[in-house]
Amino acid sequence: MNRTLAIVGFLILVAGAVIAAWTWSPWMFSPNYTIRIATGPIGSDGQKFIAAFRRELAEQRPRVRLALTETANLQESAEALQDGKVDLAVVRSDHPAAASGGTLLIVRRINLVFMASAHSSVTAMKDLVGKKIGIASDAATIDPLLATVVESYGLQTANLVTIAPADVGVALRERKVAAVVVMGPAGPGAISDAVKAIVKATRKPPKFIALDEAKAIATHHPVYEEVEIPQGAFVAAPAIPDKEVTTVAVSVRLVALNSVLDYVAGELTRLLLTTRAKLAATMPQVGEIEAPETDTKGVLPVHRGAAAYLNGTQESLFEQTMTQLFNFSIIGGLVGSIAIWVGGFWSKHRPDETKKNLARLSTMLREAKEVPLERLDGIEDELDTIAAWLLSRFVDDKIAPDRIGSVSAIVSQIRLVIERRRKLA
C-alpha cells in the first residue's frame, strides 16, 4: 500500500513539473513560440520599428518569432487585438482595447495644440467661443480627443471646419478661421509642419493657446493626459513656442493580451527598449518610446510581465520553473499525505478478510462434527479454497509464520473430523 502511494506521489510530482514547464515555457515543447503583432500600414514609423525589432529578436531569442499583421490604422489594430487575432498591437489610450490588455510601452504621445495668428486678438480658449476653428486634418471625422476638448470649453462643433494641413497658414492669414487645431508629437511631425506653414504665410510665429483646464480634462477623462510642450519644441532658434505650453494628449501604447506569458512580456519590453536605443540615431521618432508608469492607480493597466521587468522584480526562467516545482512539490506532498491517511483509515475500517476466513475455519470445525454426511463434501471443497487462499497470503508475507502454524493445525483438525465421520459411516 505504501509503495503504491509513493509511486502515485512521484507521478503527481512529475505531472506537476510538466504542467509548470508547459505553463511558463511552452516553447520548450515546440520549435518556435510565435507572437502575433499588428504593425500598422507598410512604410509607417511603427511598421519600420517593428521590422527592426523583429531582426533584434531573431538574434537574441531565435525561437521566439514575430508574425506581423499589417493593419490600415490604429483603429484596425485595436480591433484586431480585441478580437484575439493578434497578441500585441499599437493602440490609442482612448480605445477600449488599451484597457482590455496590458501596456508594455508608450510608443508616443499625440498632443492637441491650438494656434492663432500672431496678429490675432485671441489669447485664451474662451476667446474662441462662437468663432470658426480650422482642423488641420485630412480625416472626415472629429478626433475623440478634440471632441472632448470642444465639449469641455463649450465650443460648437458647427464652427469646426476641416483644412488641408498645407493650407493652415493661408487660412489664418486671410482670417478664414480664428485659430487652427493640430494633433501630433512634440517634435517633427504634423504640428511642426503646421508651424512652418503659418510662419511662411504670416511671416511670424503662431500664437499658442494654452489649455489652462488641461488637468481638469485629464481628471475627468483619465485616458488622456495633461502635458507640457517644452519651449523650442518645434523650432530651436528663434524658439517656437517661446515658452512652455500646457495642453492635453492621447498616448499611443503597445498593448499585449493578458494571455501573453509574464516572462515573455518582460523580455519583449526589455528588448524593445534596447532596440529603441540602437535605432535612435537612424530613426529619431523612436526616441519618443518610453516605459509606462507601473503604479496601480491608472485606469490603463501595465502588463504584469512588463511591470516586473521595469520594477526589477522579474524572475528568470529557471527561477520561475523552480518556484512552480516547489509549489507542486507542496501540493504533491499534501496529496500524498491525504492518500496515506485515507489508505490507513480504509485499512483500519474495512473488513479483515484474513480474520474472516480464520473465523470461518472455527465455524467449519463445528459444522464438520454436526452436519449431515452429504454436506461434508461441500465443507471439504470450501476448506480447500480457504486453505489455498491462506497459503498464497503466507507466500506474499501477508500472514506471519507463527500465525500460519495455528491455521494449519485447524485445517488439519477439520480434515481429521471429516475423515473420522466418513469411516464411522
Side-chain angles (χ1 to χ4, degrees):
M1 183 69 178
N2 291 336
R3 183 181 179 184
T4 303
L5 290 175
I7 294 174
V8 171
F10 175 75
L11 293 177
I12 291 174
L13 289 177
V14 172
V18 173
I19 293 173
W22 176 262
T23 302
W24 293 98
S25 311
W27 54 81
M28 293 174 61
F29 301 86
S30 174
N32 297 298
Y33 182 70
T34 302
I35 301 172
R36 303 164 299 168
I37 181 169
T39 65
I42 293 179
S44 65
D45 294 339
Q47 190 272 337
K48 292 177 182 177
F49 175 70
I50 294 299
F53 172 66
R54 186 184 191 182
R55 293 190 294 270
E56 185 74 15
L57 184 65
E59 293 178 4
Q60 298 201 33
R61 290 287 185 271
R63 296 183 66 185
V64 180
R65 298 173 53 191
L66 285 185
L68 308 185
T69 301
E70 181 188 348
T71 54
N73 47 48
L74 293 178
Q75 175 72 20
E76 190 173 314
S77 294
E79 291 173 356
L81 185 71
Q82 280 190 307
D83 296 339
K85 296 178 181 178
V86 295
D87 303 305
L88 280 78
V90 177
V91 302
R92 284 176 47 135
S93 60
D94 56 358
H95 193 283
S100 63
T103 298
L104 300 188
L105 292 172
I106 295 176
V107 179
R108 64 181 182 275
R109 286 182 173 83
I110 302 176
N111 305 291
L112 183 144
V113 173
F114 283 84
M115 293 181 288
S117 170
H119 306 289
S120 173
S121 60
V122 174
T123 59
M125 289 297 295
K126 63 181 180 180
D127 298 330
L128 294 177
V129 176
K131 297 181 179 179
K132 287 193 174 295
I133 302 171
I135 305 174
S137 172
D138 295 322
T141 58
I142 299 177
D143 187 271
L145 174 56
L146 176 58
T148 300
V149 172
V150 166
E151 180 182 1
S152 299
Y153 281 99
L155 305 178
Q156 292 77 37
T157 55
N159 290 331
L160 301 178
V161 294
T162 302
I163 301 175
D167 297 334
V168 293
V170 176
L172 286 177
R173 185 186 65 194
E174 297 179 357
R175 299 189 179 184
K176 294 180 179 179
V177 292
V180 294
V181 56
V182 191
M183 297 184 64
I191 301 178
S192 178
D193 293 341
V195 167
K196 294 175 183 177
I198 294 171
V199 171
K200 182 179 179 180
T202 64
R203 303 299 179 184
K204 285 191 176 183
K207 184 188 299 183
F208 288 81
I209 305 172
L211 303 187
D212 296 328
E213 290 74 19
K215 185 175 183 179
I217 294 174
T219 300
H220 290 97
H221 304 275
V223 293
Y224 300 125
E225 304 174 40
E226 177 192 18
V227 294
E228 297 286 342
I229 297 179
Q231 178 182 357
F234 306 114
V235 178
I240 302 178
D242 57 2
K243 61 181 180 180
E244 284 190 348
V245 179
T246 302
T247 186
V248 289
V250 57
S251 59
V252 178
R253 299 166 173 250
L254 179 63
V255 177
L257 294 177
N258 292 321
S259 58
V260 174
L261 302 179
D262 292 354
Y263 179 78
V264 174
E267 276 297 284
L268 288 175
T269 303
R270 181 183 69 82
L271 291 173
L272 282 163
L273 291 173
T274 303
T275 304
R276 175 198 64 174
K278 290 182 178 180
L279 298 178
T282 56
M283 297 177 63
Q285 58 272 23
V286 304
E288 300 177 46
I289 296 175
E290 62 181 84
E293 295 290 337
T294 57
D295 60 58
T296 58
K297 297 179 181 179
V299 295
L300 301 178
V302 177
H303 196 284
R304 294 185 304 270
Y309 166 72
L310 296 171
N311 291 332
T313 59
Q314 183 185 29
E315 293 182 331
S316 67
L317 186 59
F318 175 77
E319 291 172 331
Q320 291 186 13
T321 303
M322 291 305 296
T323 299
Q324 293 305 311
L325 287 176
F326 177 74
N327 292 336
F328 277 108
S329 68
I330 294 177
I331 295 173
L334 180 61
V335 172
S337 299
I338 294 174
I340 292 174
W341 179 84
V342 171
F345 180 84
W346 172 252
S347 299
K348 183 178 180 180
H349 292 83
R350 71 176 180 178
D352 190 329
E353 198 170 359
T354 302
K355 291 181 179 180
K356 178 182 177 182
N357 285 328
L358 290 177
R360 176 59 183 155
L361 287 178
S362 300
T363 304
M364 290 174 66
L365 180 59
R366 185 178 65 254
E367 290 177 353
K369 297 177 181 179
E370 299 173 356
V371 298
L373 292 176
E374 60 270 16
R375 291 182 55 187
L376 291 178
D377 291 340
I379 292 177
E380 193 170 22
D381 292 340
E382 183 180 0
L383 181 63
D384 291 339
T385 302
I386 293 176
W389 182 85
L390 290 171
L391 180 61
S392 66
R393 297 283 289 179
F394 173 71
V395 172
D396 293 338
D397 294 329
K398 301 296 178 62
I399 298 179
D402 57 343
R403 196 175 188 184
I404 197 65
S406 61
V407 171
S408 299
I410 296 174
V411 171
S412 298
Q413 181 67 23
I414 295 173
R415 292 188 187 281
L416 182 60
V417 170
I418 292 174
E419 183 178 353
R420 286 178 180 175
R421 289 196 63 188
R422 283 175 175 166
K423 286 182 178 180
L424 290 174

